[in-house]
Amino acid sequence: MYSRGVSTSERLIESTRELLWERGYVGTSPKAILERAGAGQGSMYHHFKGKPDLALAAIRRTAEMMRATAEAVLGGPGTPYERIAAYLLRERDVLRGCPVGRLTMDPDVITSEELRAPVDETLDWLRERLASIVREGQERGEFGPGLDAGETAATIVATVQGGYVLARASGQPAAFDAGVRGLLALLAPPATPTA
Amino acid sequence: MYSRGVSTSERLIESTRELLWERGYVGTSPKAILERAGAGQGSMYHHFKGKPDLALAAIRRTAEMMRATAEAVLGGPGTPYERIAAYLLRERDVLRGCPVGRLTMDPDVITSEELRAPVDETLDWLRERLASIVREGQERGEFGPGLDAGETAATIVATVQGGYVLARASGQPAAFDAGVRGLLALLAPPATPTA
């Protein structure tokens, strides 16, 4: 529930963001959104064309926030390896899963070009950002020169996304941590640099 | 639709398996199951106590099949690295996602101890199986002796599960392949063995 100072459209977007994260698009009814936002049906249709339109606004905001959180670590201090490690080890509420990645398992999001677009763009941006850091690390001799930076970046993003699956399956955050530590060991700069 | 020779309970389980894969548990109504199975409500309640009971039978069967498919490759010929590579590169309909892993994003599966159990057990089995192969590879000097086999195995499972997320986000199987190839490059036995 939100304080009265927050506008109705804002309450609708935030309620939708929460419900998409908790229950997914298919599992979120307009009624549930209205209840959580404390808004009436008329006010929803005043601000948005319907559930897809409201979901798009919610997904775009979640994507923007995920990007800002990732950039805060990836653009922070440290060597390329250290920044990748900081990204992988940053505190996450792993049992909740990734609010962006989980949408890919939502059939109605994936079959809608419009709803899928911000999900795709965000994961693509993340992969590109990580690839540029891997290339930077290769130039410094921190990562093997033979690695394909784009593929390594895809592995990093996949490990995080799959780590959520393992954590949620077991009901334990430790399963996420294990996958991340395994990847960091594989990525670790050699004791004797090869380049 | 199924031929008449198949029993009703069998048609119900297979229809549920398909719908869980396509639309998830939250997105699958008893009505949709009955329609796909060509069965009446009475026959469903004759064989199963309801949607959760039928879903449990469907999830258990899907889990068994996933295990058998994985074991066919992991227990096959080749060195540990080759068997892991064969597992990662085996042909998959990646845009459909993992029928077991995707259930972890289903809130009603995760909050049910009973429905979550076969998901957890299957991913756990897979991780243990991969860990034993990594250990075998370490004994042969194929993988670095410093790797934690359990964590490396978690990374392998996570990369596959997260690979589905990347593929579905982009609508392209290539994103799955990139993550897998990136992992294989990191796992690749050193040109000059370290042990």
Side-chain angles (χ1 to χ4, degrees):
Chain A
M1 288 304 120
Y2 299 92
S3 72
R4 288 190 187 196
V6 179
S7 74
T8 306
S9 85
E10 183 61 22
R11 291 204 314 271
L12 286 165
I13 292 175
E14 284 301 313
S15 300
T16 305
R17 281 179 9 90
E18 290 169 12
L19 284 163
L20 288 179
W21 198 351
E22 288 164 25
R23 304 205 44 87
Y25 184 83
V26 168
T28 296
S29 65
K31 190 169 164 255
I33 296 170
L34 295 176
E35 273 175 21
R36 187 167 299 203
Q41 196 168 352
S43 70
M44 175 169 132
Y45 284 100
H46 175 71
H47 294 287
F48 301 96
K49 276 177 276 176
K51 177 178 154 184
D53 189 39
L54 179 49
L56 184 60
I59 293 171
R60 282 191 179 142
R61 182 176 301 175
T62 297
E64 262 168 42
M65 289 174 74
M66 176 177 150
R67 208 159 145 155
T69 309
E71 182 55 33
V73 182
L74 294 174
T79 68
Y81 178 82
E82 284 165 356
R83 279 182 284 149
I84 290 172
Y87 169 71
L88 288 167
L89 298 168
R90 81 174 174 78
E91 221 171 293
R92 283 178 173 88
D93 193 354
V94 296
L95 291 180
R96 292 187 76 190
C98 173
V100 174
R102 71 105 63 227
L103 294 167
T104 62
M105 296 304 148
D106 228 311
D108 295 354
V109 171
I110 287 309
T111 51
S112 156
E113 283 295 320
E114 209 177 10
L115 294 179
R116 187 171 61 80
V119 175
D120 186 26
E121 283 159 19
T122 306
L123 292 174
D124 212 48
W125 169 83
L126 184 57
R127 211 161 45 192
E128 279 303 315
R129 188 69 182 87
L130 285 163
S132 74
I133 297 174
V134 171
R135 276 190 288 270
E136 198 187 320
Q138 287 178 308
E139 281 158 24
R140 298 167 48 108
E142 212 178 14
F143 300 125
L147 295 180
D148 179 299
E151 290 177 1
T152 308
T155 307
I156 296 169
V157 179
T159 300
V160 169
Q161 292 296 326
Y164 289 119
V165 170
L166 296 182
R168 283 173 66 93
S170 63
Q172 304 288 341
F176 179 96
D177 301 340
V180 156
R181 280 199 307 268
L183 178 62
L184 282 172
L186 292 172
L187 281 171
T192 312
T194 54
Chain B
M1 288 302 125
Y2 298 93
S3 73
R4 287 190 189 193
V6 180
S7 74
T8 307
S9 85
E10 184 59 24
R11 292 204 312 271
L12 286 166
I13 291 176
E14 285 301 313
S15 300
T16 306
R17 282 179 9 89
E18 290 169 11
L19 284 163
L20 286 179
W21 199 351
E22 289 164 24
R23 304 206 42 88
Y25 184 84
V26 168
T28 296
S29 64
K31 190 168 165 257
I33 296 170
L34 296 175
E35 273 176 18
R36 186 167 302 202
Q41 197 167 353
S43 70
M44 174 168 134
Y45 285 99
H46 176 70
H47 294 287
F48 301 96
K49 276 178 276 177
K51 176 179 155 183
D53 189 39
L54 178 49
L56 184 60
I59 293 171
R60 281 192 180 141
R61 182 175 300 175
T62 297
E64 264 167 41
M65 290 174 73
M66 176 176 151
R67 209 157 143 157
T69 310
E71 183 53 34
V73 182
L74 294 174
T79 68
Y81 178 82
E82 284 165 356
R83 280 182 283 150
I84 290 172
Y87 169 71
L88 288 168
L89 298 169
R90 81 172 175 78
E91 222 171 290
R92 283 178 174 87
D93 193 355
V94 296
L95 291 181
R96 291 187 76 189
C98 174
V100 175
R102 70 105 63 226
L103 294 167
T104 62
M105 296 304 147
D106 227 309
D108 294 354
V109 171
I110 286 310
T111 52
S112 157
E113 282 295 321
E114 211 176 8
L115 295 178
R116 186 170 62 78
V119 176
D120 186 24
E121 284 158 20
T122 306
L123 293 174
D124 213 47
W125 169 84
L126 183 58
R127 209 162 46 190
E128 278 303 314
R129 189 71 182 89
L130 285 163
S132 74
I133 297 174
V134 171
R135 276 190 289 270
E136 198 187 320
Q138 287 178 307
E139 281 158 23
R140 297 166 50 108
E142 213 178 14
F143 300 125
L147 295 181
D148 178 299
E151 290 177 1
T152 308
T155 307
I156 296 169
V157 179
T159 300
V160 169
Q161 292 295 327
Y164 289 118
V165 171
L166 296 183
R168 284 173 66 92
S170 63
Q172 304 287 342
F176 179 96
D177 303 340
V180 155
R181 280 199 306 269
L183 178 61
L184 282 172
L186 292 172
L187 281 170
T192 311
T194 54

